[in-house]
Amino acid sequence: NVKISDSKNNPVSFPINVYYPKTDIKVASGAANRPLELLAGVYDIEIAVLPKVTQAAVTIASGKEKSLDLGVLTGALVLKAVDQNKEENRDARQFVKIRRADTNELLISTRMNRSVEIGPGRYNVEIDTTPPQTSKDIKIDTGTETVVEAIIQAGPQAKSGKI
């Protein structure tokens, strides 16, 4: 059982992949915080958080239950749209790309007004607006929430009236 919590310390069910050590040969897969049956041996365990986390050379003994408590692995990156008056714009649906700041590797594409659980590190956030908005070198710490705001113009409001 691989125990993992999100940034608010709630149990989460990130996908888990089990490999023979130092290979790409998958032995089993499952989800965090759920039992997983394995034969006795040594395995590398990959947790599919952003970016992936691997626990190498985990020993499973015959007839024994192994619990791997990794605790909180992520922080929350909150992507918040606001209008020019700094009022929250919940209707914004612009696409957002989150990249590693050091390598520019794309980790995820998502939309505004979402929270993304992501591993500790530094990230660049690119918002698909005209012109594009970019927040660089955003620091994410384990167990914390970091908010990135982007100004998104509110769409035209429908006017009601009689016909």
Side-chain angles (χ1 to χ4, degrees):
N1 190 4
V2 179
K3 296 178 181 179
I4 302 172
S5 300
D6 67 10
S7 60
K8 294 183 171 101
N9 211 23
N10 297 317
V12 289
S13 57
F14 290 121
I16 303 288
N17 293 308
V18 181
Y19 297 91
Y20 286 120
K22 300 179 184 174
T23 72
D24 290 333
I25 301 170
K26 189 186 297 187
V27 176
S29 61
N33 296 306
R34 294 192 175 99
L36 184 63
E37 294 283 329
L38 294 171
L39 296 173
V42 178
Y43 304 99
D44 290 346
I45 299 176
E46 177 186 86
I47 300 98
V49 296
L50 296 172
K52 291 179 182 174
V53 172
T54 301
Q55 291 290 309
V58 175
T59 302
I60 306 297
S62 180
K64 302 275 185 176
E65 186 173 311
K66 174 84 173 191
S67 183
L68 190 60
D69 191 348
L70 301 179
V72 177
L73 291 180
T74 61
L77 176 58
V78 179
L79 305 165
K80 184 177 175 185
V82 296
D83 64 18
Q84 55 275 25
N85 298 319
K86 293 287 187 181
E87 297 292 324
E88 193 169 1
N89 180 353
R90 292 185 180 267
D91 295 328
R93 297 288 178 256
Q94 280 72 15
F95 285 102
V96 178
K97 292 179 183 170
I98 301 172
R99 299 179 181 273
R100 289 178 61 122
D102 57 347
T103 64
N104 207 33
E105 172 191 0
L106 177 65
L107 294 178
I108 187 171
S109 290
T110 187
R111 290 188 182 263
M112 287 302 296
N113 294 319
R114 302 239 169 114
S115 179
V116 177
E117 290 289 327
I118 195 164
R122 294 191 177 274
Y123 301 93
N124 295 336
V125 177
E126 302 167 6
I127 299 127
D128 188 19
T129 55
T130 305
Q133 296 179 57
T134 303
S135 296
K136 293 190 178 261
D137 208 31
I138 304 297
K139 185 178 182 204
I140 303 296
D141 290 317
T142 302
T144 64
E145 182 176 278
T146 303
V147 177
V148 172
E149 287 187 354
I151 297 174
I152 309 293
Q153 302 295 333
Q157 299 296 319
K159 295 182 181 178
S160 61
K162 294 182 182 178
I163 297 178

